[in-house]
Amino acid sequence: MALRPIDNALPTTPERPKKQAKLSIPIQTQKKPSDFGVNEEKKASPLPPPPPPADASVDYVSSEKLKPFEDPESKIQGLVEGLESKDWVKVCESLNDVRRFSLHHSTVLLPILEKVMLILVKAMNNPRSALCKTSIMAASDIFNAFGEKLLDFTDSGAFDRLLLQLLLKASQDKKFVCEEADKSLKSMVNTIAPLPLLNKLSGYVNHGNLRVRAKAAVSISNSVSKTGVDEIKEFGLVKLLQMATGSLNDRLPEAREAARSIVFSVYKAFTENEDENPGEAWQSFCQSSLSPIQAQSIIKAVGSQ
């Protein structure tokens, strides 16, 4: 008789698993927004947060409130250095100093004005709106103080660069920057003689940016509106009409309105001494001086006035 192995003699009972100790983990409840700040003084740091710097914001000072310097000769020595500072607040302060020099000590500023204008253009390109607006305000005061003297800076092209930047800033979506640039362009038109200014502006009526074209057309219209008949004829009736034709059919209403104003100013200058049939003389002039499409646009624009 075969013997069974001892291992199989008795049935084995499986060991019962040992119970693991239960850990009680406290459940953290999320604070409601209304709970924040309740009894937080007990957990707060003993040191209060540092106060914000006093010069974190820039005040836009009107020209009437800018006072003269007590010692302008000494102050002018550090002006360029302040304008080229890495601290944008310091640059804004220096730009306001430029405005004070322009308004009250223009003869002291004149020797370095060309360099200051180039720095001014750089500040207008800064992404900080406060710095951009302050530089535009400085440009307005420079126009009012120096006028046509700004056209003398031909070697560096300082005026041309400044004009382009103002047209670009006036075309921006930021309303307060755009409005300030419009004011500066008006100051330019009011302080610089029409003939040289029209020559500067004529190159922008065909600019690739339609908003720049519109702003250029508005400045040309404003300049022509304060120009005498003799000056309009000296600049060139045909040249003005050719400048306006492109904007008559522009997509922006601002450009079209400015172009119609230019055309009507030329029409009044042309027909001033035309006693008989001024309308026929005007049509004949347009048809003989312009292309058929241009002449038709110009004649139609005058007829709509």
Side-chain angles (χ1 to χ4, degrees), residues 214 216-221 244 247 253-263:
V218 170
S219 294
I220 291 172
S221 173
S247 299
E254 187 179 22
R256 298 195 298 269
E257 183 179 352
R260 286 193 292 267
S261 175
I262 296 169
V263 170

Side-chain angles (χ1 to χ4, degrees), residues 129 132-133 136 169 172 174-181:
S129 298
C132 178
K133 179 172 178 175
I136 296 173
K169 297 309 173 186
Q172 277 195 355
K174 293 181 180 179
K175 184 177 180 180
F176 73 103
V177 172
C178 176
E179 290 176 348
E180 199 63 47

Side-chain angles (χ1 to χ4, degrees), residues 123-145:
M124 287 186 190
N125 280 319
N126 194 286
R128 288 189 179 274
S129 298
L131 189 55
C132 178
K133 179 172 178 175
T134 306
S135 63
I136 296 173
M137 295 173 74
S140 298
D141 290 328
I142 287 176
F143 284 134
N144 292 327

Side-chain angles (χ1 to χ4, degrees), residues 234-281:
E234 182 181 351
F235 181 79
L237 300 180
V238 176
K239 187 176 180 180
L240 279 173
L241 291 178
Q242 289 173 339
M243 289 166 59
T245 50
S247 299
L248 281 174
N249 298 315
D250 203 285
R251 294 191 315 187
L252 293 180
E254 187 179 22
R256 298 195 298 269
E257 183 179 352
R260 286 193 292 267
S261 175
I262 296 169
V263 170
F264 194 65
S265 295
V266 175
Y267 171 77
K268 289 194 298 183
F270 176 83
T271 59
E272 184 186 38
N273 297 321
E274 293 289 337
D275 296 330
E276 297 181 0
N277 298 322
E280 293 182 8

Side-chain angles (χ1 to χ4, degrees), residues 28-278:
Q28 295 182 353
T29 58
Q30 186 177 2
K31 286 186 176 183
K32 299 179 181 179
S34 58
D35 293 337
F36 286 103
V38 179
N39 296 328
E40 291 295 331
E41 63 272 9
K42 296 180 181 179
K43 304 176 183 179
S45 173
L47 295 177
D55 56 359
S57 61
V58 174
D59 293 329
Y60 302 116
V61 186
S62 63
S63 300
E64 295 76 14
K65 294 182 179 180
L66 292 171
K67 305 299 182 182
F69 294 107
E70 293 183 1
D71 187 3
E73 296 290 348
S74 175
K75 188 69 176 179
I76 197 70
Q77 302 302 320
L79 182 62
V80 173
E81 181 181 355
L83 290 170
E84 294 178 336
S85 173
K86 300 296 183 181
D87 182 356
W88 70 272
V89 176
K90 176 64 175 176
V91 177
C92 282
E93 293 174 354
S94 299
L95 287 170
N96 280 327
D97 288 344
V98 170
R99 300 175 62 200
R100 294 171 69 183
F101 274 110
S102 300
L103 296 170
H104 304 292
H105 316 284
S106 59
T107 55
V108 179
L109 180 62
L110 184 58
I112 62 170
L113 180 58
E114 186 172 7
K115 186 171 185 178
V116 168
M117 288 176 64
L118 293 174
I119 299 175
L120 202 68
V121 171
K122 183 179 179 181
M124 287 186 190
N125 280 319
N126 194 286
R128 288 189 179 274
S129 298
L131 189 55
C132 178
K133 179 172 178 175
T134 306
S135 63
I136 296 173
M137 295 173 74
S140 298
D141 290 328
I142 287 176
F143 284 134
N144 292 327
F146 296 98
E148 291 183 38
K149 292 180 181 178
L150 303 178
L151 300 177
D152 296 336
F153 304 136
T154 55
D155 294 337
S156 64
F159 179 83
D160 294 329
R161 296 184 186 184
L162 179 59
L163 173 57
L164 175 58
Q165 282 305 312
L166 287 174
L167 291 172
L168 289 171
K169 297 309 173 186
S171 306
Q172 277 195 355
D173 293 328
K174 293 181 180 179
K175 184 177 180 180
F176 73 103
V177 172
C178 176
E179 290 176 348
E180 199 63 47
D182 282 335
K183 292 178 184 178
S184 188
L185 289 171
K186 289 179 181 179
S187 297
M188 175 190 69
V189 169
N190 292 332
T191 56
I192 297 180
L195 291 183
L197 183 58
L198 288 172
N199 283 317
K200 292 289 186 181
L201 289 167
S202 61
Y204 296 102
V205 292
N206 296 317
H207 195 273
N209 187 322
L210 76 166
R211 292 186 178 181
V212 170
R213 293 199 303 268
K215 296 299 180 180
V218 170
S219 294
I220 291 172
S221 173
N222 291 336
S223 184
V224 170
S225 65
K226 72 184 193 71
T227 304
V229 173
D230 293 337
E231 288 180 301
I232 290 178
K233 291 181 178 179
E234 182 181 351
F235 181 79
L237 300 180
V238 176
K239 187 176 180 180
L240 279 173
L241 291 178
Q242 289 173 339
M243 289 166 59
T245 50
S247 299
L248 281 174
N249 298 315
D250 203 285
R251 294 191 315 187
L252 293 180
E254 187 179 22
R256 298 195 298 269
E257 183 179 352
R260 286 193 292 267
S261 175
I262 296 169
V263 170
F264 194 65
S265 295
V266 175
Y267 171 77
K268 289 194 298 183
F270 176 83
T271 59
E272 184 186 38
N273 297 321
E274 293 289 337
D275 296 330
E276 297 181 0
N277 298 322

Side-chain angles (χ1 to χ4, degrees), residues 4-21:
R4 294 173 60 186
I6 296 176
D7 293 341
N8 296 332
L10 297 174
T12 58
T13 58
E15 294 183 359
R16 297 178 64 184
K18 296 180 180 180
K19 293 184 179 180
Q20 296 182 354

